[in-house]
Amino acid sequence: MGFIDELISSAKTMVDKAGKQTDKVLEISKLKYQSIQLQNELSHLYEQLGVAVYAKMTEEADNGDLLASLADEITEVRAALGVVEDKISEQKSQRTCPDCGAKLPRDASFCSHCGVKLEVAEKPVEEAAEEVSEEETCCCASEAAEEPAEEPAEEAPAEAAEEEKE
């Protein structure tokens, strides 16, 4: 009966993990959609700004107020887009290189794009708690705790002696 209980427990754990992963993918999809909307709005604002600048340059209109308001709107949309992109990076466990802006894994030591050394990123509290709970619920963790681990240190001198013979 113990095997069946472990099997059911493992199945529940896997279903929970799949559910969490599905929620994560759904959240990333929503954020990407929001990012696309903000990028489209930004493109539209840049187009309006270009038309207004052209009108001012050809002296067709005195539209300094329009230029200032468009610049303010662009600043706001760019800030909102930055927030959304940061949320996407957080959901994907990524971070941004401070030197070149490339997206990197959170635990990277160096940027794979420009090679700059990165500061060690601390894991958010939620990730650390999730890792602990995964270890506690894993069926293999209880088995590993029951069986004593083999010490590889005893094998190392024997391997070294064989290499010296050759």
Side-chain angles (χ1 to χ4, degrees):
M1 202 62 145
F3 174 74
I4 294 174
D5 291 337
E6 285 183 32
L7 185 62
I8 291 171
S9 176
S10 295
K12 286 181 181 178
T13 301
M14 296 304 282
V15 168
D16 288 343
K17 286 181 183 180
K20 287 179 184 177
Q21 191 66 23
T22 302
D23 290 343
K24 189 175 184 178
V25 169
L26 181 63
E27 182 65 25
I28 290 171
S29 296
K30 286 180 183 178
L31 290 170
K32 284 183 177 180
Y33 179 72
Q34 190 176 8
S35 173
I36 290 169
Q37 286 180 320
L38 288 171
Q39 288 172 354
N40 288 339
E41 183 178 349
L42 194 57
S43 294
H44 182 70
L45 288 170
Y46 279 133
E47 184 178 325
Q48 287 179 337
L49 182 64
V51 170
V53 168
Y54 178 77
K56 183 167 178 99
M57 297 299 287
T58 58
E59 298 181 16
E60 293 177 9
D62 184 21
N63 52 10
D65 293 338
L66 176 63
L67 293 174
S69 72
L70 285 172
D72 290 342
E73 281 185 66
I74 288 171
T75 302
E76 290 174 13
V77 172
R78 289 181 69 176
L81 184 59
V83 168
V84 170
E85 288 177 352
D86 288 344
K87 287 181 182 178
I88 291 172
S89 294
E90 184 179 313
Q91 288 289 324
K92 289 183 170 184
S93 295
Q94 292 178 334
R95 66 179 178 171
T96 305
C97 174
D99 197 46
C100 69
K103 299 292 183 189
L104 307 166
R106 189 174 305 280
D107 60 346
S109 298
F110 293 91
C111 176
S112 59
H113 187 9
C114 69
V116 71
K117 182 171 175 53
L118 303 170
E119 293 182 22
V120 178
E122 294 183 20
K123 291 183 181 180
V125 176
E126 293 173 4
E127 279 186 32
E130 186 175 304
E131 285 180 6
V132 170
S133 66
E134 286 179 13
E135 290 174 3
E136 291 172 354
T137 58
C138 180
C139 63
C140 301
S142 61
E143 292 173 9
E146 293 172 5
E147 297 177 13
E150 293 181 21
E151 294 182 21
E154 295 175 8
E155 296 176 16
E159 291 175 1
E162 289 179 8
E163 289 178 10
E164 288 178 17
K165 290 179 184 177
E166 294 175 3

